[in-house]
Amino acid sequence: MRKLLFLPLLFFALTAKAQFFLAGGFFNGSLPVGKLKTETESLFFPTISGIFLYEFRTAPLQVGLELGYGIYGSQLEKRTDLYAGLSDELRLRRNNNLATGMAAIRYLPSVNTKLTPFVEAQFGANYLYTRYKIRETILSEENIESGKDIEDWALAYRIGGGIQIPLDEFLRLEIRATLQDGNSVRFLQRGDVTYLPDEGIFDYNFRRSPLQYMTFSIGLIHYDLFY
């Protein structure tokens, strides 16, 4: 019985060692272009992301997945008029969130240098949502009320490239730039929600645009994870 249990583990270990996997993490900053710039002016999208790739032994190609998340706007209001009959000061925090999931493919041309250049294409989706929380104090563990003002998602694609700079045998510093375009999405940014106390409701100034932005990234890539 023990031998039967050991065989799948042995197979996985041999398979993993035979493959060439790499993974890394990035700090990203995105600036709007095109219609998104017209709609939002100088809105900045900071995100962090992680990437997992497989590199073919017989071809200069890498394929994989990149996931990212960031908050592109946060606003705090201290109000005493959120609930009828209650005059205590409450904290209303609203965050604008961006989550992304992208399938990625990279081409690494052969060059006679220690630097590794690459070109990249990605295809996937962006998910934007604005969430609010109402608390008594900053230290309150429970929310009086919480929810989403809006959520929407859209397909998108990216093209770009970058370079990798070797730090040691397996670790590389990566600098990258990509341009994103895709379908239109409805979203909010900081200052787009106003509370109307006389009516007890929120007033929304919704925006709509393709998520067209240029992203600059810096991060670390670890090669041959299962070496």
Side-chain angles (χ1 to χ4, degrees):
M1 184 65 178
R2 291 181 178 178
K3 291 182 178 180
L4 291 177
L5 292 174
F6 177 73
L7 287 176
L9 296 176
L10 178 62
F11 175 77
F12 175 79
L14 292 175
T15 302
K17 191 172 181 61
Q19 305 303 312
F20 187 18
F21 294 101
L22 52 148
F26 301 98
F27 292 101
N28 313 294
S30 302
L31 296 173
V33 297
K35 187 175 180 180
L36 183 62
K37 183 176 182 180
T38 302
E39 183 69 24
T40 64
E41 297 181 354
S42 59
L43 183 63
F44 181 67
F45 293 86
T47 58
I48 57 173
S49 63
I51 194 168
F52 185 79
L53 295 165
Y54 166 75
E55 182 170 315
F56 294 93
R57 292 286 188 180
T58 57
L61 293 175
Q62 297 174 348
V63 295
L65 179 68
E66 182 170 0
L67 302 176
Y69 171 76
I71 296 177
Y72 64 91
S74 182
Q75 185 173 4
L76 173 66
E77 295 182 70
K78 297 180 180 180
R79 306 192 66 98
T80 59
D81 54 2
L82 292 174
Y83 299 102
L86 181 63
S87 59
D88 294 345
E89 183 178 83
L90 301 176
R91 297 170 59 89
L92 170 59
R93 168 71 71 180
R94 179 170 281 105
N95 291 327
N96 301 314
N97 306 268
L98 169 64
T100 63
M102 295 280 176
I105 181 169
R106 289 181 170 184
Y107 170 69
L108 298 87
S110 178
V111 293
N112 187 24
T113 175
K114 291 183 178 181
L115 302 180
T116 304
F118 63 89
V119 292
E120 181 177 73
Q122 295 190 358
F123 179 79
N126 293 307
Y127 174 56
L128 288 90
Y129 63 99
T130 296
R131 187 173 183 84
Y132 72 90
K133 296 179 181 180
I134 300 175
R135 294 181 178 181
E136 291 183 352
T137 69
I138 192 173
L139 299 178
S140 300
E141 296 183 0
E142 295 185 1
N143 301 321
I144 297 176
E145 183 181 341
S146 65
K148 290 181 181 178
D149 295 301
I150 186 178
E151 58 182 338
D152 201 3
W153 69 278
L155 297 176
Y157 64 89
R158 299 171 182 169
I159 55 173
I163 58 170
Q164 294 177 350
I165 304 169
L167 300 179
D168 60 27
E169 183 180 0
F170 299 108
L171 193 63
R172 299 185 184 182
L173 174 68
E174 181 170 301
I175 301 172
R176 179 183 63 173
T178 59
L179 178 64
Q180 175 176 285
D181 200 352
N183 296 339
S184 291
V185 63
R186 194 171 65 144
F187 62 97
L188 295 166
Q189 67 179 72
R190 179 185 172 92
D192 283 348
V193 183
T194 304
Y195 183 66
L196 306 178
D198 292 340
E199 302 177 36
I201 61 173
F202 293 113
D203 182 51
Y204 301 97
N205 177 30
F206 294 113
R207 300 172 186 267
R208 188 173 187 87
S209 170
L211 285 184
Q212 301 168 322
Y213 52 69
M214 175 72 75
T215 300
F216 301 93
S217 308
I218 185 169
L220 295 174
I221 295 288
H222 191 283
Y223 269 71
D224 219 350
L225 289 177
F226 303 106
Y227 177 78

